[in-house]
Amino acid sequence: METSNQIHLKKISKGITIKQVLDVLSICKQLNIYSKVFFPSGHLNQTYKECLDDINFIEHNKNRIDFFGVTVGIKIYPGTRLEFALSDFN
């Protein structure tokens, strides 16, 4: 999932909506399929409040989420849009 912020989901080209994620999590729960979501903090221009919003999202939806990962920082792979976006800061 990466983030519960729809603007950031669009910026990182996830191609999903929060509603879609919630729907899939609910379906997985109904079918007894374990789910895991990851929330790395440190997306480009992500604020501290938005990081807290992600944690609140997990807490609010803990009945649908079986496992979660929250990490600080992101891996920047060569040739990605993120690498080029960060090169503008240099």
Side-chain angles (χ1 to χ4, degrees):
M1 181 171 183
E2 305 284 333
T3 179
S4 62
N5 183 294
Q6 193 63 54
I7 293 169
H8 287 297
L9 284 174
K10 185 173 182 170
K11 285 180 182 178
I12 62 175
S13 302
K14 289 303 277 186
I16 57 174
T17 65
I18 303 304
K19 182 184 179 323
Q20 287 173 320
V21 170
L22 291 172
D23 289 347
V24 167
L25 289 172
S26 293
I27 292 167
C28 287
K29 190 57 80 175
Q30 291 170 5
L31 297 174
N32 292 319
I33 298 171
Y34 292 115
S35 62
K36 184 173 187 177
V37 294
F38 292 92
F39 288 86
S41 297
H43 295 287
L44 196 58
N45 298 317
Q46 185 180 35
T47 66
Y48 177 71
K49 182 195 175 304
E50 290 166 340
C51 294
L52 292 178
D53 290 343
D54 287 344
I55 294 169
N56 289 332
F57 177 89
I58 294 169
E59 179 66 28
H60 182 74
N61 293 287
K62 64 184 174 185
N63 61 324
R64 301 180 209 201
I65 300 169
D66 296 300
F67 306 99
F68 64 90
V70 177
T71 60
V72 176
I74 55 176
K75 176 82 171 151
I76 303 169
Y77 292 98
T80 62
R81 190 167 30 177
L82 181 58
E83 179 192 33
F84 295 121
L86 291 175
S87 68
D88 292 339
F89 289 107
N90 294 330

